[in-house]
């Protein structure tokens, strides 16, 4: 089905068995700056799943490269044993492996002790996103860092890696040298294009000298940083042409860490089209003689096949697709495309975990990042009859997991369609792809031979009649509607009613947002696009406070473009006549919005757990999962389902 995607590609003496790549991405799994068993198990799973090339997360090349508290470091020989075990594990499964070599320059996110780090860059040009003012690099320190790239590459070579990728993407140190708006130097490392390229020229030459002729050397670069002060496509292309003699491939991406608007492209959310960056990559493919790799929301093998077949790139980075389904390559090669668990670019457990300093995972496949615990399911000692009540993500995952272990599982769903609240989530603007979680879990249920009974409202009597060996309750939640003081003049509705198009909102709308997630901003956008004047009253610091950064920031851009009036620190108090009354939470002062037709409540959810109480009174043991245990997100629901299925 995918002849171009599964054609081999040779880089020096390393042959990639296919054109699918896991790009370098921080997993937050290392705990002491070296490779650990969790990281090895994570990459082994993807290698076993058929990926052609794994590029491991950034390895710091100098002590000043510590941009987070959990960075892998390649500055001493202590790193070699861990890297050796990782290379052996990946090679044993048939994949090639490279490591990223990294220095962030001014892009310092955090330090290990919570103190502000001293950042270094070509010039004292501040970073906007992290509010870092760097020190200009001395010539002596530049030489130290160049030597650091070489010594790090030498260690990786000794560990058995096939090569390295120098990270010049997303506004990190090499890109800072290339950018004339960030590099203001007038010495041998700045002032002209050639001098600005000199840092990377020296780095690449030093790496080649420290390794050998078989060692692969690549460059990752943003083909345009999508920021007014960022590197342009033309500047990046000129650098690649100049550096091409020292390179075996160029891996192009887009965006920059330096600004909020540019950073969303580091892991673009579902609001961006699949493969949206491939057209820009083709500019580099046409201009360079070496292979060009590309990444950026390439989630399905058919998308990657089309990109490669059309000549836009030679290899496709499919990192989040591989986090969601490590076996995606072998499934694609076998033609089992319907069995692929497709990434929906929600960013919740992958890049979202990273930004919270947690090991990455996937909301659809929580086994990712937890391979040491859930890498393989143990068969049940005894086949049991299991009744799962509720066919949302929690119930579906529990049923799949229990059935895979050998149990006889039936899911009972009150509605005529599986999916629970995911059916509503997919109705929000630009969130249609979220419905993919239903499609994916439904297919997995089919493959696991889970029985499904729809349109069945389960009662305690039905449970007694079925006499299951175990009951898993995933009965979900309903909107929280508090007893607000109101005279009934203003229409008060829930977000669920708006999503189902059960109500007309009128000309002026207030959306009350307690959860600070995607629901209320999505409702506000819907109302604004329908022509209403909208106020979004957020009981938090800002809209999307609980969301992954790039989802939140993309959402903030849409709210601004739609001229939605956003009021943070706003607690809903009540309504009278045509006025919605709010309270400013820090000051306690009143806030008012007048002339309102409709107040939309997005104030969280409360569990639907009545059946649990009834069964407990009858002495029937139950396991509650998902929102009926505590309303949270799909990530917690699916993880609850996994744990319940393993324990069944």
């Amino acid at each position: 089905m995918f002849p171009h995607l599964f054609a081999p590609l040779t880089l020096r003496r390393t042959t990639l068995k296919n054109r699918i790549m896991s790009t370098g991405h921080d997993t937050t799994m290392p705990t002491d700056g070296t490779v650990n068993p969790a990281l090895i198990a994570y990459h082994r799973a993807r290698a076993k799943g058929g990926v052609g090339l794994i590029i491991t997360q950034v390895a710091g090349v100098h002590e000043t490269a510590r941009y987070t508290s959990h960075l892998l470091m390649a500055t001493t020989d202590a790193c070699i044993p861990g890297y050796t075990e990782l290379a052996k594990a990946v090679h044993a499964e048939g994949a090639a492996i490279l490591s990223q070599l990294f220095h962030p320059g001014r892009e310092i996110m955090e330090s290990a002790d919570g103190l502000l780090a001293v950042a270094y860059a070509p010039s004292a040009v501040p970073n906007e996103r992290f509010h870092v003012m760097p020190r200009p690099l001395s010539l002596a320190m530049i030489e130290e860092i160049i030597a650091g790239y070489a010594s790090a590459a030498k260690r990786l070579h000794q560990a058995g890696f096939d090569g390295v990728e120098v990270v010049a993407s997303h506004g990190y140190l090499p890109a800072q040298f290339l950018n004339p708006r960030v590099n203001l130097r007038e010495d041998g490392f700045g002032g002209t294009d050639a001098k600005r390229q000199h840092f990377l020229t020296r780095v690449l030459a030093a790496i080649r000298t420290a390794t050998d002729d078989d060692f692969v050397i690549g460059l990752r670069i943003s083909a345009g940083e999508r920021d007014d002060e960022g590197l342009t496509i033309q500047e990046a292309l000129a650098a690649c042409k100049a550096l091409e003699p020292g390179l075996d491939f160029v891996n192009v991406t887009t965006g920059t860490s330096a600004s909020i608007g540019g950073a969303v492209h580091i892991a673009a959310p579902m609001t961006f089209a699949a493969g949206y960056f491939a057209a820009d990559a083709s500019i580099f493919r046409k201009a360079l003689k070496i292979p060009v790799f590309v990444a950026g929301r390439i989630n399905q093998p058919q998308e990657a096949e089309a990109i490669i077949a059309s000549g836009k790139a030679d290899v496709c980075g499919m990192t989040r697709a591989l986090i969601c389904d490590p076996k995606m390559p072998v499934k694609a090669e076998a033609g089992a495309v319907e069995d692929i668990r497709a990434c929906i670019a929600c960013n919740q457990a992958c890049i979202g975990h990273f930004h919270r300093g947690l090991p990455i995972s996937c909301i659809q496949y929580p086994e990712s990042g937890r391979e040491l615990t859930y890498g393989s399911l143990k068969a049940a000692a005894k086949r049991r009859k299991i009744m799962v009540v509720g066919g949302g993500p929690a119930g579906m995952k529990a049923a799949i997991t229990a059935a895979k272990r050998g149990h006889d599982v039936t899911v009972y769903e009150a509605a005529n369609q599986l999916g629970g609240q995911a059916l509503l989530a997919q109705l929000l603007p630009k969130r249609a792809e979220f419905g993919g979680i239903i499609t994916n879990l439904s297919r997995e249920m089919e493959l696991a031979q889970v029985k499904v009974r729809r349109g069945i409202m389960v009662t305690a009597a039905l449970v007694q009649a079925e006499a299951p060996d175990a009951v898993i309750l995933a009965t979900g939640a309903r909107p929280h509607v508090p007893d607000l003081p109101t005279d009934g003049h203003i229409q008060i509705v829930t977000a669920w009613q708006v999503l189902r198009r059960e109500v007309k909102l009128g000309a002026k709308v207030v959306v009350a947002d307690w959860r600070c997630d995607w629901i209320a901003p999505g409702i506000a956008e819907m109302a604004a696009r329908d022509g209403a004047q909208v106020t979004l009253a957020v009981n938090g610091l800002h809209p999307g406070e609980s969301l992954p950064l790039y989802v939140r920031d993309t959402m903030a851009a849409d709210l601004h473009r739609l001229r939605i009036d956003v009021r943070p620190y706003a607690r809903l108090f009540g309504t009278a006549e045509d006025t919605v009354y709010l309270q400013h939470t820090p000051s306690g002062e009143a806030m008012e919005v007048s002339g309102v037709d409709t107040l939309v409540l997005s104030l969280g959810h409360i569990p639907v757990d009545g059946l649990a109480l009834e069964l407990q009174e009858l002495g029937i043991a139950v396991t509650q999962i998902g929102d009926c245990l505590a309303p949270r997100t799909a990530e917690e629901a699916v993880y609850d389902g996994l744990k319940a299925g393993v324990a069944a």
Side-chain angles (χ1 to χ4, degrees):
M1 292 180 66
F2 309 109
H4 297 86
L5 189 59
F6 287 94
L9 176 69
T10 299
L11 304 170
R12 293 191 178 261
R13 291 194 179 180
T14 296
T15 297
L16 313 184
K17 64 183 179 183
N18 59 50
R19 310 300 183 92
I20 301 171
M21 166 179 61
S22 175
T23 62
H25 59 288
D26 200 328
T27 63
T28 330
M29 291 175 191
T31 56
D32 64 355
T34 61
V35 172
N36 60 4
L39 186 64
I40 293 171
Y42 173 81
H43 285 302
R44 180 189 286 117
R46 278 133 199 86
K48 190 173 184 179
V51 70
L53 172 63
I54 289 174
I55 302 180
T56 61
Q57 64 198 72
V58 294
V61 300
H62 190 267
E63 278 303 304
T64 56
R66 296 182 184 272
Y67 85 124
T68 70
S69 59
H70 44 76
L71 179 67
L72 280 177
M73 297 296 289
T75 51
T76 71
D77 289 351
C79 75
I80 296 175
Y83 276 123
T84 300
E85 291 304 310
L86 177 55
K88 287 180 180 178
V90 169
H91 285 150
E93 302 294 348
I97 186 167
L98 313 180
S99 173
Q100 291 189 321
L101 296 183
F102 180 75
H103 195 296
R106 64 182 184 169
E107 300 300 310
I108 302 289
M109 290 178 59
E110 61 177 3
S111 66
D113 58 9
L115 301 176
L116 291 176
V118 178
Y120 294 88
S123 306
V125 178
N127 158 279
E128 177 182 274
R129 184 172 170 222
F130 302 125
H131 307 287
V132 170
M133 178 61 76
R135 284 184 59 81
L137 282 160
S138 66
L139 289 173
M141 187 173 281
I142 290 174
E143 294 297 333
E144 276 186 33
I145 293 172
I146 292 171
Y149 277 99
S151 60
K154 182 177 181 179
R155 293 183 180 102
L156 288 157
H157 181 242
Q158 291 173 333
F161 271 59
D162 299 304
V164 293
E165 177 182 83
V166 176
V167 180
S169 61
H170 300 121
Y172 299 123
L173 182 63
Q176 292 162 33
F177 271 101
L178 294 175
N179 188 339
R181 291 158 295 284
V182 177
N183 181 354
L184 308 181
R185 304 176 74 96
E186 293 294 338
D187 57 12
F189 292 93
T192 67
D193 286 348
K195 289 180 178 180
R196 284 188 288 270
Q197 294 159 4
H198 188 54
F199 175 78
L200 270 172
T201 301
R202 291 276 312 280
V203 165
L204 298 176
I207 292 172
R208 180 61 67 202
T209 299
T211 56
D212 63 24
D213 287 340
D214 294 337
F215 199 64
V216 176
I217 302 175
L219 180 74
R220 192 174 205 207
I221 192 166
S222 290
E225 292 181 355
R226 302 195 180 220
D227 183 80
D228 289 346
E229 299 299 315
L231 200 67
T232 66
I233 290 180
Q234 293 75 22
E235 290 163 345
L237 181 58
C240 289
K241 286 181 177 178
L243 298 166
E244 188 172 11
L247 292 169
D248 298 307
F249 69 86
V250 169
N251 182 4
V252 293
T253 182
T254 190
T256 176
S257 170
S259 69
I260 289 175
V264 300
H265 300 282
I266 294 174
M270 68 179 73
T271 51
F272 290 85
Y276 74 104
F277 176 62
D280 288 347
S282 67
I283 298 171
F284 287 69
R285 177 65 158 61
K286 292 174 182 175
L288 301 175
K289 296 181 177 63
I290 56 177
V292 171
F293 302 175
V294 67
R297 279 230 62 204
I298 305 171
N299 293 346
Q300 294 272 34
Q302 55 266 33
E303 297 160 4
E305 173 72 16
I307 289 168
I308 296 169
S310 63
K312 293 184 175 71
D314 298 284
V315 172
C316 286
M318 304 182 73
T319 303
R320 283 179 288 176
L322 291 161
I323 296 172
C324 187
D325 193 343
K327 296 180 180 178
M328 179 270 290
V330 296
K331 291 177 182 177
E333 189 170 22
V337 291
E338 291 185 359
D339 297 347
I340 293 172
R341 185 185 307 105
C343 168
I344 57 175
C346 67
N347 281 1
Q348 285 177 237
C350 48
I351 192 75
H353 275 207
F354 163 73
H355 283 140
R356 290 187 285 154
L358 301 171
I360 66 168
S361 188
C362 177
I363 72 165
Q364 298 191 73
Y365 189 64
E367 292 91 330
S368 270
R370 299 182 176 97
E371 284 80 8
L372 294 178
T373 304
Y374 298 110
S376 60
L377 288 175
K378 292 183 179 179
K382 179 183 178 182
R383 182 176 173 85
R384 305 171 73 202
K385 180 180 179 181
I386 297 177
M387 186 174 188
V388 179
V389 185
M396 296 169 85
K397 183 65 174 182
I400 293 161
T401 308
K404 283 182 175 180
R405 296 186 60 233
H407 293 306
D408 176 15
V409 184
T410 304
V411 171
Y412 295 76
E413 168 56 44
N416 292 320
Q417 187 176 357
L418 296 171
Q421 286 187 55
L423 295 170
L424 294 171
Q426 67 183 350
L427 300 177
L428 288 161
K430 304 183 186 74
R431 299 282 294 182
E433 201 166 344
F434 200 90
I437 192 172
I438 307 170
T439 304
N440 294 334
L441 288 170
S442 296
R443 178 58 176 166
E444 290 183 67
M445 286 176 60
E446 182 182 340
L447 293 173
Q449 298 183 329
V450 173
K451 296 185 288 291
V452 180
R453 296 184 63 186
R454 297 174 177 84
I456 302 293
M457 180 63 69
V458 175
T459 63
L462 178 59
V463 175
Q464 288 179 306
E466 293 290 338
D469 297 308
V471 179
I472 298 174
L473 292 187
T475 45
R478 56 183 172 82
H480 172 49
V481 181
D483 186 14
L484 295 171
T486 178
D487 59 5
H489 184 87
I490 292 176
Q491 176 182 226
I492 300 177
V493 301
T494 69
W496 288 23
Q497 290 174 286
V498 177
L499 287 170
R500 290 169 174 161
R501 296 291 184 178
E502 295 173 353
V503 293
K504 293 184 178 180
L505 297 180
K508 190 167 184 180
V509 177
V510 172
V511 182
D513 181 8
W514 169 80
R515 183 69 178 87
C516 299
D517 59 9
W518 54 82
I519 300 174
I523 296 294
E525 181 177 343
M526 286 178 66
R529 294 191 184 280
D530 286 344
Q533 180 183 345
V534 183
T535 296
L536 177 60
V538 182
N539 193 345
L541 303 180
H542 50 72
E545 185 180 351
S546 68
L547 295 179
L549 304 187
Y550 306 148
V551 177
R552 176 201 71 195
D553 296 338
T554 304
M555 181 182 293
D558 289 334
L559 295 174
H560 178 76
R561 293 187 187 105
L562 290 167
R563 302 297 184 261
I564 291 170
D565 176 23
V566 177
R567 301 200 186 185
Y569 300 104
R571 176 190 296 147
L572 179 61
F573 184 82
T575 75
E577 297 185 348
D578 68 350
T579 301
V580 173
Y581 291 93
L582 309 162
Q583 186 179 35
H584 187 258
T585 52
S587 69
E589 293 185 355
M591 305 164 65
E592 300 178 4
V593 184
S594 300
V596 177
D597 296 299
T598 302
L599 169 64
V600 182
L601 305 180
S602 184
L603 304 179
H605 305 92
I606 58 175
V608 175
D609 58 357
L611 181 59
L613 300 175
E614 292 182 49
L615 294 178
Q616 288 164 6
E617 289 175 358
L618 293 171
I620 299 174
V622 298
T623 300
Q624 291 177 248
I625 62 174
D627 281 357
C628 84
L629 175 63
R632 292 158 293 162
T633 72
E635 179 184 356
E636 290 82 19
V638 175
Y639 188 33
D640 281 355
L642 171 64
K643 291 186 290 184
V646 167

